[in-house]
Amino acid sequence: GKVNGRNSKLFYTPKMNKMYNSLLLLEGEVNRALNKNEFVLHYQPKINVITGDIIGFEALIRWFHKEKGYIPPSEFIPLAEETGLIIQLGEWVITEACRQHVRWVEKGLKPFNIAVNVSAIELQRSDFAEKVKTIVYETGMNPEYLEIEITENSVMQNTEDCIRTMNQLRLMGISLSIDDFGTGYSSLGYLRKFPINHLKIDQSFIKNSLIESSNAEIIKAMIQIAHTFGLKVVAEGVEEPHILKFIEEQSCDYYQGYYFSKPVPPDEIEALIVSDSEI
Ligand code: C2E
Ligand code: CA
Ligand code: CA
Ligand code: CA
């Protein structure tokens, strides 16, 4: 690691030492949490803008630490990436989402898409598609219902390798989304290179879409161009009815956000699905 080698003196300031220690501590904690089942997945519905129907769910990891309480993914995912533990954690996420889907299908619930978030580090492993294939096979998940969300920036590194992996996943029937679109370095023209199905517009644009007119224009352009490429567009972070109305006017296909539901535990999803199909 970074503490060895020529720069070790530079690195080993007390502050850095503290950071490094907390990294080591966290590494042990994540490992322990994996073994003790402290991680769970919550699910947030994705909604069809026109019909208001649920079309699927995004799985989001939750860590309820037995002493520290809830630790948000924004705190431990970057550290898990740094230590390499994201590989194990990511495998657990995909496996758990597939198992949950199988449990829902076995209960007789109508099958929905389940999306999982995959970090750049996972995607860039040459055996990633093979690993997913094994998980799908071992859990009995129908891959046609599995979706993988990849951030815009992660496909911008080692693009050729990413495209190869993405093609392998598509061949298995898995669908692909570009997450947090608009925050990274890619351009809309670049999207054509990628074998993707959905584009998720980052919530920072959506939230301020009616305050800053430039955001509204950007959203309009994103949706139009995505549609000319045959992609479906998801708006993230829809919290208010007037934002929903605005994205509907822009022909946005799907949305997620607190306006419909926060991410919730699996049993609450079951209640949502049942009440949705009774209407
Ligand atoms: P993301 O993939 O962009 O997920 C959307 C985040 O926005 C989630 O935060 C979600 O709870 C939140 N959100 C959804 N609707 C609204 C809304 O209307 N308003 C507001 N303010 N927030 C909303 P969360 O669950 O804390 O996750 C944060 C990030 O952590 C995710 O961003 C994703 O990058 C990462 N993450 C979460 N779970 C996983 C995982 O299993 N694997 C990996 N690699 N990353 C994950
Ligand atoms: Ca996501
Ligand atoms: Ca996102
Ligand atoms: Ca994000």
Side-chain angles (χ1 to χ4, degrees), residues 58 117 149 151 179-181 200-203 236:
E58 176 178 1
N117 291 285
E149 297 192 0
T151 63
D179 204 353
D180 298 353
F181 190 76
K200 300 187 73 176
I201 301 178
D202 191 71
Q203 42 183 292
E236 296 190 303

Side-chain angles (χ1 to χ4, degrees), residues 2-275:
K2 282 179 188 155
V3 285
N4 300 319
R6 276 191 298 153
N7 293 326
S8 60
K9 278 204 185 99
L10 253 177
F11 185 84
Y12 238 56
T13 63
K15 194 180 164 204
M16 290 306 230
N17 192 5
K18 205 174 151 209
M19 268 176 60
Y20 182 69
N21 283 338
S22 69
L23 210 65
L24 276 183
L25 209 66
L26 190 104
E27 183 169 10
E29 289 276 285
V30 172
N31 237 330
R32 184 189 54 77
L34 265 170
N35 294 327
K36 293 223 166 172
N37 295 316
E38 275 184 8
F39 293 110
V40 288
L41 295 181
H42 282 189
Y43 297 87
Q44 186 180 39
K46 293 190 184 181
I47 311 301
N48 181 319
V49 170
I50 305 282
T51 65
D53 292 333
I54 296 172
I55 58 132
F57 304 101
E58 176 178 1
L60 292 152
I61 196 165
R62 298 288 176 257
W63 185 3
F64 297 102
H65 191 283
K66 63 177 174 5
E67 283 133 27
K68 294 178 191 141
Y70 176 63
I71 304 176
S74 58
E75 278 178 31
F76 65 89
I77 295 283
L79 288 168
E81 287 175 336
E82 193 110 347
T83 58
L85 269 169
I86 192 71
I87 301 299
Q88 274 169 275
L89 202 58
E91 265 185 63
W92 178 83
V93 168
I94 302 169
T95 306
E96 179 53 27
C98 288
R99 281 193 190 132
Q100 184 60 66
H101 194 270
V102 170
R103 284 194 285 267
W104 280 334
V105 171
E106 281 170 354
K107 279 189 172 179
L109 298 171
K110 183 178 160 234
F112 289 95
N113 263 25
I114 278 200
V116 292
N117 291 285
V118 162
S119 101
I121 293 176
E122 297 172 73
L123 184 74
Q124 275 155 24
R125 301 262 296 210
S126 56
D127 63 348
F128 180 71
E130 204 52 46
K131 279 236 173 95
V132 174
K133 195 175 196 168
T134 305
I135 293 171
V136 160
Y137 179 78
E138 285 177 353
T139 56
M141 166 86 184
N142 179 346
E144 298 288 333
Y145 292 109
L146 183 61
E147 188 174 319
I148 289 181
E149 297 192 0
I150 305 161
T151 63
E152 180 189 2
N153 281 341
S154 60
V155 293
M156 297 303 289
Q157 312 160 25
N158 304 322
T159 301
E160 296 308 315
D161 294 340
C162 283
I163 291 174
R164 191 179 322 117
T165 299
M166 291 166 99
N167 280 325
Q168 290 169 339
L169 295 165
R170 286 297 304 276
L171 277 172
M172 291 162 56
I174 294 168
S175 42
L176 302 175
S177 295
I178 296 288
D179 204 353
D180 298 353
F181 190 76
T183 59
Y185 328 118
S186 75
S187 66
L188 280 161
Y190 216 88
L191 285 179
R192 260 187 302 192
K193 284 188 160 201
F194 298 110
I196 54 172
N197 308 83
H198 304 138
L199 189 69
K200 300 187 73 176
I201 301 178
D202 191 71
Q203 42 183 292
S204 57
F205 293 97
I206 304 297
K207 279 193 186 136
N208 302 317
S209 56
L210 301 180
I211 304 163
E212 279 176 58
S213 61
S214 61
N215 275 337
E217 292 305 317
I218 292 168
I219 293 170
K220 266 188 206 178
M222 283 181 185
I223 294 173
Q224 278 175 13
I225 297 172
H227 282 167
T228 67
F229 294 162
L231 305 175
K232 297 284 189 197
V233 182
V234 185
E236 296 190 303
V238 173
E239 292 182 359
E240 315 264 0
H242 59 276
I243 304 275
L244 178 57
K245 186 163 165 278
F246 168 72
I247 61 161
E248 183 176 3
E249 285 161 3
Q250 305 311 320
S251 306
C252 184
D253 304 283
Y254 311 123
Y255 77 96
Q256 282 176 268
Y258 295 171
Y259 178 64
F260 188 89
S261 171
K262 290 193 170 186
V264 293
D267 54 324
E268 286 180 44
I269 286 295
E270 284 166 35
L272 267 178
I273 299 173
V274 173
S275 67

